[in-house]
């Protein structure tokens, strides 16, 4: 093998002072030269990559960069889809912050880079030092799987861990702070050992820290609560408008609004009775002493049972079926068992057994906010924010069950309520900057929400690009929500094409992907014209089937092999022209 020629003045690698180190440093300079903020020869440069669906990881990446700067490091923050594998391979200090989506999957913006890293052809990463922060939620199977996969794979490719991975549950702020405060000083120490100081470079991110956050939500008034579905519908989908008052808050079409709900008072009372407490027992919650009733109303998840609670109930009840399932560790069996059962249903299995307030609270998870895709454009509605929410109500185990947040807004919020809200920006899920480009929006059910916002936004911008909406729901007569608005937008010309799929109006199910198939030729033309393809709504079935239909459409209409269709779609993803907001 030829010894690589080392250019004069090539700075030394921070970790290897050998010719190999110098070679890597020169490679880094070469490969990363298109990164304006990155002086790769500078050992103070750390790359912070985020994989995100709804912005949490991006926000933690920005926090990490802020701390890194205070320690004299030069952080470069990037979305994972802005990085090529050859750039990744020469990063010396790498911090990855990624969430997990779907069922243990990468967030959309991390998928392409991950595919390359996971491939047999991935280069070695021996010159890299890294640490992973994994965001997830213990209520999902495959907890933090994306972060775990990155951690294992980078180590397998020869990279060295600077600091062990930390997995964060839904309440990620504390754990992420610990990780930042542990990993950054280690890198700062190592970098200080190896390089002289250079001027600090700017991160390439914009500080998207919201003025109001989960810890400090805005208290909003509900201005409108309107039933969208018809009287005889099998669904209850509602339109809400929340005031932004004098908050100074603004949002973009495609962003998400988070609501911190309150639990149903009747459910709280039933649970207190089931555990044989009185409700006035005072316990410390987040450093504040408060009665059990108050803590269950506002601070704990009391509908979906935590894993700890399920285990405790199995132990105390001796229930053979539940114990067998837990011992088998069969996740599907457990999910089947839990389907339709909430905390109260489980407590009813041990009617004679009492819990102390403290014992019971220790088995619960903190109450989480729920996310909703905003259905208005901030330009057309600067003073309010609209949502399109399907109420979760079902009968099971002899009781009426209610989704915590969807029924909190529908049933409990009135004119005098102050609803705790905060925004999550969703930068990649937005209308194209170029108003002349066509957009295709696939949004059955509540998936229509962001597309109502997109259409308002395109009208506001007087965008010349074509707009195609594919919407569907159960029955046309009762579930064609926003019908008047949609027809008005059709008449005005802003909605160029509309395809509807009502699944239960006939014997055979008809879904949005059937409409894609029927209109494949035209859809391919729109894509070829630089079109954007957006999907919103159910992640478990709809989004997967639409994805399959898109692959097929590109194969048939583009006359491509399955592999070529994958490349075509990867290219769309890379250009952020195939983006999803699925849940
Ligand atoms: C980025 C994002 C955007 C979203 N946008 C929207 C939106 O625009 N509109 C919208 O309506 N939702 C949206 N959601 C979903 C929303 O966040 C909530 O998950 C939804 O409103 C249910 O919350 P809940 O608190 O009412 O129900 P929860 O208390 O969380 O209960 C839901 C749970 O109840 C159980 N369940 C539900 N139905 C049944 C049944 N029939 N039988 C048995 N068990 C059942 C399931 O375990 C389910 O997980 C979005 C989610 C995300 C992540
Ligand atoms: N992961 C989640 O927790 C999750 C995901 C999505 C929605 N939800 C919740 O469920 C409630 C109702 O949701 P929604 O109004 O958005 O949708 P939805 O009522 O579940 O479905 C909307 C339409 O999509 C159809 N559909 C079902 N399977 C499909 C598939 N594989 N491909 C294409 N279309 C398909 C439905 O048909 P049929 O019903 O006739 O089959 C219906 O016509 C909301 O509370 C929402 O938050 C929860
Ligand atoms: C539809 C959906 C699927 C999810 N799937 C998982 C999962 O499989 N495993 C997990 O640990 N967390 C899962 N989560 C939780 C997210 O990883 C968590 O909310 C994270 O904070 C999101 O960060 P982000 O905003 O950076 O994407 C899921 C969340 C949603 C809404």
């Amino acid at each position: 093998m030829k010894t690589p020629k080392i250019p004069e003045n090539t700075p030394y690698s921070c970790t290897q002072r050998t010719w190999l180190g110098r070679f890597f440093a020169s490679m880094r300079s070469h490969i990363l030269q298109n990164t304006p903020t990155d002086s790769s020869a500078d050992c103070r440069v750390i790359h912070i990559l985020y994989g995100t669906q709804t912005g949490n990881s991006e926000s933690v990446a920005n926090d990490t960069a802020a701390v890194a700067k205070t320690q004299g490091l030069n952080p470069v923050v990037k979305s994972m889809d802005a990085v090529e594998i050859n750039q990744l391979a020469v990063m010396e200090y790498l911090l990855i912050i990624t969430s997990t989506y779907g069922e243990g999957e990468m967030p959309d913006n991390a998928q392409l880079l991950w595919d390359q890293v996971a491939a047999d052809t991935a280069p070695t990463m021996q010159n890299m030092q890294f640490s992973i922060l994994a965001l997830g939620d213990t209520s999902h199977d495959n907890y933090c799987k994306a972060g775990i996969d990155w951690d294992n794979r980078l180590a397998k490719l020869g990279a060295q861990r600077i600091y062990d991975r930390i997995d964060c549950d839904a309440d990620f702020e504390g754990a992420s702070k610990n990780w930042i405060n542990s990993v950054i000083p280690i890198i700062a120490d190592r970098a200080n050992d190896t390089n002289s100081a250079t001027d600090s470079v700017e991160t390439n991110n914009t500080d998207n820290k919201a003025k109001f956050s989960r810890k400090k939500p805005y208290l909003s008034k509900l201005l409108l609560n309107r039933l969208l579905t018809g009287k005889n519908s099998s669904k209850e989908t509602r339109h809400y408008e929340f005031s932004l008052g004098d908050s100074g808050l603004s949002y973009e079409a495609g962003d998400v609004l988070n609501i911190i709900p309150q639990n149903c008072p009747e459910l709280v009372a039933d649970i207190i009775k089931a555990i044989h407490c009185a409700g006035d027992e005072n316990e410390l919650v987040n450093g504040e002493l408060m009665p059990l009733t108050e803590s269950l109303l506002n601070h704990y998840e009391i509908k979906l049972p935590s894993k700890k609670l399920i285990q405790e109930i199995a132990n105390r009840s001796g229930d053979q079926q539940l114990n067998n399932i837990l011992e088998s560790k069969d996740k599907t069996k457990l999910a089947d068992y839990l389907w339709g059962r909430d905390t109260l249903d489980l407590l009813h299995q041990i009617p004679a057994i009492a819990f102390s307030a403290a014992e019971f609270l220790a088995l619960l998870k903190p109450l989480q906010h729920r996310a909703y895709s905003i259905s208005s454009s901030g330009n057309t509605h600067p003073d309010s924010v609209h949502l399109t929410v399907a109420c979760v109500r079902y009968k099971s185990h002899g009781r009426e069950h209610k989704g915590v947040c969807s029924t909190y807004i529908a049933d409990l919020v009135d004119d005098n309520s102050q609803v705790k809200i905060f925004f999550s920006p969703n930068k990649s899920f937005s209308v194209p900057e170029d108003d002349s480009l066509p957009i295709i929006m696939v949004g059955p059910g509540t998936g229509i929400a962001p597309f109502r916002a997109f259409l308002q936004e395109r009208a506001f911008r007087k965008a010349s690009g074509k707009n195609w909406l594919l919407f569907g729901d159960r029955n046309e007569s009762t579930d064609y929500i926003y019908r008047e608005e949609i027809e008005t937008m059709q008449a005005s010309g802003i909605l160029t094409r509309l395809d509807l799929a009502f699944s239960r109006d006939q014997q055979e199910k008809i879904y949005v992907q059937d409409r894609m198939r029927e209109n494949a030729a035209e859809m391919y033309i729109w894509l070829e014209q630089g079109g954007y393809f957006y999907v919103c709504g159910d992640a478990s079935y709809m989004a997967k089937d639409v994805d399959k239909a898109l692959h097929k459409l590109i194969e048939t209409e583009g006359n491509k092999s399955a592999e070529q269709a994958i490349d075509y779609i990867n290219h769309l993803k890379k250009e952020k022209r195939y983006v999803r907001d699925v849940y």
Side-chain angles (χ1 to χ4, degrees), residues 162-179:
I162 307 167
Y163 189 76
D164 281 349
R165 188 190 75 244
I166 289 193
D167 297 339
C168 308
D169 207 346
D171 226 356
F172 59 85
E173 280 92 352
S176 62
K177 239 184 214 149
N178 286 344
W179 178 79

Side-chain angles (χ1 to χ4, degrees), residues 124-135:
T124 63
M125 311 255 171
Q126 279 165 343
N127 216 36
M128 175 189 285
Q129 301 187 53
F130 76 100
S131 182
I132 308 284
L133 184 73
L135 266 55

Side-chain angles (χ1 to χ4, degrees), residues 235 390 392 446 473-474 503-504 509 511 513 538 545 583:
K235 295 178 70 174
V392 173
T446 54
D473 215 314
R474 293 179 185 171
S503 53
R504 302 191 188 180
K509 293 264 182 181
Y511 289 151
Q513 58 272 26
D538 170 62
D545 291 346
Y583 42 89

Side-chain angles (χ1 to χ4, degrees), residues 138-310:
T138 43
S139 63
H140 289 267
D141 286 339
N142 299 308
Y143 176 52
C144 289
K145 182 163 184 308
I148 295 169
D149 285 350
W150 273 100
D151 195 27
N152 293 338
R153 184 63 183 153
L154 289 180
K156 201 156 182 210
L157 291 171
Q160 277 97 52
R161 280 189 196 90
I162 307 167
Y163 189 76
D164 281 349
R165 188 190 75 244
I166 289 193
D167 297 339
C168 308
D169 207 346
D171 226 356
F172 59 85
E173 280 92 352
S176 62
K177 239 184 214 149
N178 286 344
W179 178 79
I180 296 170
N181 291 332
S182 305
V183 76
I184 294 296
I186 299 175
I187 300 178
D189 269 1
R190 292 186 189 179
N192 282 332
D193 264 4
T194 50
N195 207 36
S196 59
T198 58
D199 288 338
S200 185
V201 291
E202 288 298 310
T203 58
N204 71 341
N205 62 291
T206 50
D207 188 355
N208 70 350
K209 258 230 141 24
K211 188 169 157 198
F212 294 96
S213 62
R214 184 152 71 145
K215 293 272 178 251
K216 193 178 154 234
Y218 175 64
L219 301 179
S220 172
K221 286 226 168 265
L222 179 62
L223 302 171
L224 183 67
N225 170 354
R226 180 162 72 87
L227 184 64
L228 291 170
T229 38
K231 232 172 67 196
N232 298 320
S233 174
S234 53
K235 295 178 70 174
E236 178 187 336
T237 305
R238 293 180 171 272
H239 174 83
Y240 299 105
E241 298 187 6
F242 289 94
S243 168
L244 294 180
D246 55 5
S247 64
L249 282 168
S250 61
Y251 62 95
E252 312 245 336
D255 285 353
V256 162
L257 186 79
N258 303 291
I259 296 191
I260 303 176
Q262 190 179 67
N263 281 310
C264 167
E266 286 85 41
L267 183 62
V268 169
D270 288 346
I271 286 180
I272 289 174
K273 201 169 147 202
I275 59 173
H276 304 276
C277 281
D280 57 358
E281 297 84 350
N282 278 321
E283 291 299 332
L284 265 184
V285 178
N286 302 330
E288 204 188 318
L289 206 58
M290 64 181 75
L292 179 62
T293 307
E294 155 70 5
S295 52
L296 293 181
L297 260 183
N298 288 310
H299 298 280
Y300 290 95
E301 173 61 60
I302 59 168
K303 179 181 184 290
L304 304 172
S306 72
K307 289 183 177 145
K308 270 202 281 187
L309 181 72
I310 298 164

Side-chain angles (χ1 to χ4, degrees), residues 54 101 256 301 303-304 339-340 370-374 388-390 392-394 396 402-407 446 449-450 581-583:
T54 54
Y101 259 76
V256 162
E301 173 61 60
K303 179 181 184 290
L304 304 172
W339 181 248
R370 268 56 168 178
Y372 295 96
S373 313
I374 294 171
T388 309
V389 180
V392 173
R393 301 186 199 271
Y394 55 95
S396 168
K402 300 193 286 187
V404 173
C405 192
S406 55
T407 62
T446 54
D581 171 14
V582 293
Y583 42 89

